[in-house]
Amino acid sequence: MASQTPQAAAQAAAQAFDYAPAPESRSVVDIAPSYGLFIDGEFSDAADGKVFKTVSPATEEVLSEVAQAGADDVERAVKAARKAFEMWSALPGAERAKYLFRIARIIQERSRELAVLETLDNGKPIKETRDADLPLVAAHFFYYAGWADKLDHAGYGAAPRPLGVAGQVIPWNFPLLMLAWKIAPALATGNTVVLKPAETTPLSALFFADICRQAGLPKGVVNILTGYGDSGAALVAHPDVNKVAFTGSTAVGKQIARTVAGTDKKLTLELGGKGANIVFDDAPIDQAVEGIVSGIFFNQGQVCCAGSRLLVQESIQDELLDSLKRRLSTLRLGDPLDKNTDIGAINSAEQLARITALTETGEAEGAERWSAPCELPSAGYWFAPTLFTNVTQAHTIARDEIFGPVLSVLSFRTPDEAVAKANNSQYGLSAGIWTEKGSRILSVASKLRAGIVWANTFNKFDPTSPFGGYKESGFGREGGRHGLEAYLAPSSPKGERK
Amino acid sequence: MSTVDSSSSRLSVLKTYKLYVGGKFPRSESGRVYEVSDSKNKWLANAPLSSRKDARDAVVAARKAFGGWSGATAYNRGQVLYRVAEMLEGRRDQFVREVADAEGLSKSKAAAVVDAAVDRWVWYAGWTDKIAQVVGGANPVAGPFFNLSTPEPTGVVTVVAPQESSFLGLVSVLAPVIATGNTAVVIASEQAPLPALSLGEVLATSDVPGGVVNILSGRTAELAAPLAAHQDVNAIDLTGVTDDALAKELEIAAADNLKRVLRPQPVDFAADPGTHRLTAFLETKTVWHPTGSLGASGSAY
């Protein structure tokens, strides 16, 4: 094998031990040809009758046609949520808790169906929806269910109050998980919800509406409006919305912050990132490589907390990159429903175009591109795992969020330089540290301006663990006790209101 | 401020009120001043009429001080804040006089205000090494990981100090900002800036590192606009903005780099402050690390 490069050897091995297809069955999910808006416990068409299609990004097959909410529909949904608020907020916490526990249990029961549905609509591998998204969705509802009757003890005053109607707008990268992050704490604290899923991934939210029905959730407590950005804009601008929660791009987040300026609406934003994954020379290389791969290629890199900037100590750069390229050559890209698939489809043609344009900019600015040698399917939206070397901090691909399977590699010599480079970003969502030295982990972690720091691991999530950014990655936290604050008006002592 | 000491015919020495920026006492770079008078329209002093450039200089000073102040131990910050209370106590008579003039209060009412302000520094001095335990902690994640959330200061905070409560209000909004490790650029009450400018002299002699607090006097709208839009400011407290339209404008400008915004709200500064001014300018950082496993069943002892 001496004449072969490590990548070629890995490729040869991959071919020698090829996998047979192992597709997950689609029959577990029954997608209707069309869906309405879910308002006040009923599905109905948009007032102006507009609809749009949602496609499977892996095949471009049309999955269903869904209603496109306009201003009249937003009005109706907010009204329904307002009406339901009176009853829902007055319900004893223990009763609200039981509804949420029911929802958590039904999600567990229907998790395979939802995993397949999510994979179809989003394009991510079934391995991820089955083993990450869905278990976390159920766990999130289970966690916040337990808070509903314990809010007096949460540290937000003796009798914290719900805010009212929450307008929530979520992205397409983790459709059902982002729904859970938004709806579970809102309902536990006694708020009612109007939620708008992303236009490319509306289906799991509509299936969630059916779960609300099965759980016997009172009508109007959860309302789902499918639509494009203008539907979301109308929702956050609605004067009878008391709370706005948004996960998505920093540009849209800023626009929402301007929209709610001068109002009493409480705002939390979970936005973009350009996470630095820092590998020191004493790191266990094989574990670090796995962490780098999960950091940027999990969910095709369409993750706000992705470790999209690899900062590697100069002395181990060559060794690490060899290992990384060898590992990337073994990733299996293709049918997201195949249980062996590591890399699924990019969510939309639009996102693929953005990733393509940014990588072209990377090459044009002088960075060196390497893409894993893998065959891309002819239909659907695909992008091979890619990394760039010779990247400087001034390069666009080191500064802008690509939101795709593209890793920018930079090097450093000293811990101080690593910290300075990691913090040299408008964003501050996540960071990673790989080293065997405990004191270095703690000192570097304390200096990183990021909301989540993963040390010797990456991309770990849990309902009890607060998630959210510094700087232009947004404000507020989701998850844990901290996540309650976004939905509560503390009854502060002696007249001071928050 | 009397120009002639009543007990004798001696002419008193007037103070030139100056800004407090980066630990120094500059005049406004613009060379401008404005007249400050008491509630009966009697001239008190010429205060610096700060410019946009002064505001930017103050941000530079605050940013420079952030690393050291946020990196100081919470115990150390507590000692420094307590030292502020000690220094204020020693200057009590001066502040009683200045607050009485500024707010048109009787001497006894002004004394009560100053005492409350001293006590507020003491309250926040005690919070520096407690807030992390109250709002942070370990999270019981469902996996073999150590997971810890800790609060950290958000950075440089612009504080638009209350217009009416020129001293107790100022202390009530400033102390929580720096207690948690942020650094501050303060816009003093427009009509009554003198107690704030004098506070700078107290801070300068209280072991507060230069740049941790920077105090500007001048037109609130003129100074707040560039600070709300400043890309190196992380947060803004709009408590002292009394005009709703201006507050909205500032919040819109603040969205450009997603500043954390504390909106104007009616506040009773005599009431228990609670913790929300401490938490308003804190970020939560959550650190994960694998725990490994020394045996699945654990120890029975």
Side-chain angles (χ1 to χ4, degrees):
Chain A
M1 300 287 271
S3 61
Q4 269 184 316
T5 66
Q7 291 103 276
Q11 264 178 273
Q15 275 154 17
F17 301 101
D18 213 354
Y19 291 71
E24 179 69 51
S25 170
R26 266 185 79 157
S27 65
V28 69
V29 58
D30 185 12
I31 302 173
S34 69
Y35 288 94
L37 308 167
F38 184 68
I39 300 174
D40 209 15
E42 314 260 336
F43 280 101
S44 61
D45 293 340
D48 59 11
K50 279 193 186 163
V51 295
F52 64 100
K53 291 180 170 53
T54 183
V55 304
S56 161
T59 59
E60 299 176 59
E61 166 203 359
V62 174
L63 295 172
S64 187
E65 198 170 71
V66 300
Q68 185 180 339
D72 290 347
D73 305 305
V74 169
E75 185 67 42
R76 207 155 60 81
V78 172
K79 207 169 268 176
R82 172 62 54 197
K83 192 161 149 249
F85 174 67
E86 205 176 312
M87 169 278 305
W88 183 249
S89 60
L91 214 55
E95 296 300 299
R96 288 201 308 270
K98 286 191 285 185
Y99 281 112
L100 290 169
F101 281 125
R102 278 190 187 184
I103 289 172
R105 284 307 215 196
I106 296 171
I107 289 168
Q108 287 177 328
E109 284 166 2
R110 296 179 62 176
S111 69
R112 188 57 54 91
E113 172 196 4
L114 294 165
V116 172
L117 175 76
E118 196 85 309
T119 283
L120 283 169
D121 205 17
N122 170 279
K124 67 170 75 183
I126 185 72
K127 181 165 90 172
E128 291 181 11
T129 51
R130 184 194 61 199
D131 299 346
D133 294 61
L134 262 297
L136 284 168
V137 170
H140 215 82
F141 277 100
F142 204 88
Y143 175 77
Y144 278 106
W147 268 122
D149 57 356
K150 299 166 190 70
L151 299 173
D152 289 358
H153 311 286
Y156 300 108
R161 293 166 289 116
L163 299 166
V165 175
Q168 306 177 319
V169 179
I170 59 169
W172 44 259
N173 56 345
F174 296 90
L176 200 56
L177 183 57
M178 292 300 102
L179 174 148
W181 283 23
K182 295 286 180 287
I183 292 184
L187 297 197
T189 47
N191 299 276
T192 55
V193 160
V194 180
L195 176 128
K196 192 201 85 76
E199 63 269 24
T200 59
T201 53
L203 294 182
S204 52
L206 295 165
F207 274 56
F208 179 78
D210 189 54
I211 289 168
C212 293
R213 178 189 64 81
Q214 290 184 334
L217 192 73
K219 63 181 190 176
V221 172
V222 168
N223 304 274
I224 309 283
L225 295 179
T226 45
Y228 285 80
D230 58 334
S231 313
L235 176 59
V236 304
H238 195 287
D240 205 28
V241 163
N242 306 98
K243 154 76 195 174
V244 172
F246 172 73
T247 297
S249 74
T250 287
V252 173
K254 289 178 181 180
Q255 193 47 52
I256 290 173
R258 291 181 197 109
T259 303
V260 305
T263 72
D264 288 331
K265 289 175 192 172
K266 194 163 178 169
L267 177 65
T268 44
L269 299 169
E270 203 275 273
L271 310 173
K274 193 75 188 176
N277 206 353
I278 306 169
V279 183
F280 287 96
D281 59 6
D282 66 340
I285 294 288
D286 290 345
Q287 287 175 40
V289 164
E290 289 308 308
I292 294 162
V293 169
S294 107
I296 183 62
F297 300 111
F298 176 60
N299 201 20
Q300 297 70 245
Q302 301 168 129
V303 184
C304 49
C305 56
S308 52
R309 284 184 296 157
L310 174 62
L311 296 179
V312 54
Q313 197 150 18
E314 206 175 83
S315 51
I316 56 160
Q317 179 171 221
D318 293 346
E319 181 192 356
L320 183 80
L321 286 178
D322 282 348
S323 292
L324 183 59
K325 288 176 180 173
R326 189 163 59 233
R327 179 69 181 89
L328 294 183
S329 303
T330 67
L331 292 177
R332 304 178 61 81
L333 177 147
D335 181 7
L337 277 176
D338 192 309
K339 287 172 247 183
N340 293 320
T341 293
D342 299 305
I343 307 285
I346 301 301
N347 181 252
S348 66
E350 188 189 357
Q351 185 58 22
L352 179 59
R354 180 177 158 76
I355 296 167
T356 306
L358 277 162
T359 48
E360 280 166 4
T361 304
E363 287 181 275
E365 289 179 0
E368 196 174 309
R369 176 183 183 148
W370 179 92
S371 290
C374 57
E375 204 175 309
L376 304 183
S378 52
Y381 319 124
W382 304 92
F383 200 89
T386 294
L387 63 83
F388 278 95
T389 50
N390 288 334
V391 179
T392 75
Q393 296 183 83
H395 282 148
T396 305
I397 54 167
R399 312 194 66 82
D400 287 13
E401 184 178 42
I402 297 173
F403 222 65
V406 182
L407 179 67
S408 299
V409 183
L410 297 91
S411 66
F412 68 88
R413 287 182 180 173
T414 65
D416 281 343
E417 186 188 351
V419 168
K421 284 183 167 169
N423 287 341
N424 181 12
S425 171
Q426 71 184 108
Y427 298 114
L429 188 51
S430 75
I433 305 168
W434 298 85
T435 172
E436 289 286 42
K437 194 171 159 75
S439 58
R440 183 183 288 148
I441 292 173
L442 296 176
S443 69
V444 171
S446 76
K447 290 187 185 101
L448 291 171
R449 302 290 288 166
I452 306 104
V453 178
W454 286 293
N456 291 326
T457 185
F458 210 93
N459 268 346
K460 291 287 182 291
F461 306 93
D462 192 274
T464 68
S465 180
F467 185 96
Y470 284 43
K471 300 194 273 188
E472 295 191 21
S473 290
F475 43 74
R477 291 294 178 269
E478 294 181 292
R481 185 192 68 84
H482 293 77
L484 296 168
E485 188 180 8
Y487 294 95
L488 287 174
S491 54
S492 306
K494 301 189 189 95
E496 194 177 0
R497 73 184 173 86
K498 186 169 180 182
Chain B
M1 184 167 297
S2 51
T3 50
V4 178
D5 194 321
S6 55
S7 62
S8 72
S9 59
R10 178 181 170 271
L11 190 68
S12 66
V13 178
L14 291 180
K15 181 164 88 181
T16 304
Y17 283 86
K18 297 205 275 184
L19 306 177
Y20 181 52
V21 176
K24 297 193 162 59
F25 296 95
R27 293 184 168 86
S28 169
E29 63 81 33
S30 65
R32 304 180 303 176
V33 294
Y34 68 115
E35 270 193 36
V36 177
S37 39
D38 68 9
S39 56
K40 296 184 182 91
N41 263 333
K42 196 172 85 173
W43 181 87
L44 291 172
N46 295 323
L49 185 63
S50 305
S51 66
R52 290 166 169 262
K53 176 73 165 81
D54 292 318
R56 290 199 299 272
D57 290 346
V59 173
V60 171
R63 175 60 62 194
K64 201 170 157 197
F66 178 67
W69 185 244
S70 63
T73 63
Y75 176 55
N76 178 239
R77 283 201 301 271
Q79 296 231 308
V80 171
L81 263 63
Y82 188 79
R83 183 77 175 155
V84 175
E86 289 179 342
M87 292 296 105
L88 264 185
E89 187 85 27
R91 294 236 224 165
R92 188 171 175 276
D93 292 348
Q94 174 200 339
F95 279 94
V96 169
R97 194 174 66 241
E98 287 185 333
V99 169
D101 284 343
E103 301 180 22
L105 299 178
S106 68
K107 202 176 167 198
S108 65
K109 280 192 175 145
V113 164
V114 173
D115 291 347
V118 175
D119 291 353
R120 189 126 307 159
W121 279 109
V122 174
W123 153 266
Y124 280 116
W127 263 118
T128 59
D129 53 5
K130 293 162 193 73
I131 191 68
Q133 288 177 310
V134 171
V135 302
N139 305 304
V141 297
F145 294 93
F146 172 75
N147 177 297
L148 188 73
S149 290
T150 43
E152 289 190 347
T154 201
V156 174
V157 180
T158 293
V159 175
V160 186
Q163 300 295 338
E164 303 290 329
S165 185
S166 66
F167 190 60
L168 176 58
L170 164 75
V171 169
S172 300
V173 297
L174 171 62
V177 166
I178 63 168
T180 51
N182 295 289
T183 57
V185 176
V186 178
I187 305 173
S189 164
E190 183 169 328
Q191 296 304 319
L194 303 186
L197 296 176
S198 289
L199 179 67
E201 297 158 18
V202 169
L203 298 173
T205 52
S206 303
D207 304 324
V208 180
V212 169
V213 177
N214 305 276
I215 302 174
L216 303 172
S217 56
R219 305 289 174 226
T220 301
E222 183 185 0
L223 296 173
L227 288 169
H230 199 296
Q231 296 298 296
D232 206 25
V233 171
N234 300 92
I236 185 165
D237 178 348
L238 298 176
T239 300
V241 179
T242 50
D243 174 3
D244 287 349
L246 177 63
K248 181 175 177 176
E249 211 174 282
L250 295 172
E251 192 177 343
I252 289 172
D256 269 356
N257 68 336
L258 290 167
K259 288 180 186 69
R260 286 75 175 119
V261 177
L262 192 59
R263 292 176 179 144
Q265 55 196 301
V267 186
D268 175 5
F269 289 112
D272 178 339
T275 55
H276 93 260
R277 286 188 177 276
L278 288 163
T279 56
F281 303 115
L282 284 175
E283 306 290 332
T284 297
K285 175 184 281 177
T286 301
V287 179
W288 294 67
H289 195 279
T291 52
S293 164
L294 290 175
S297 58
S299 169
Y301 295 97

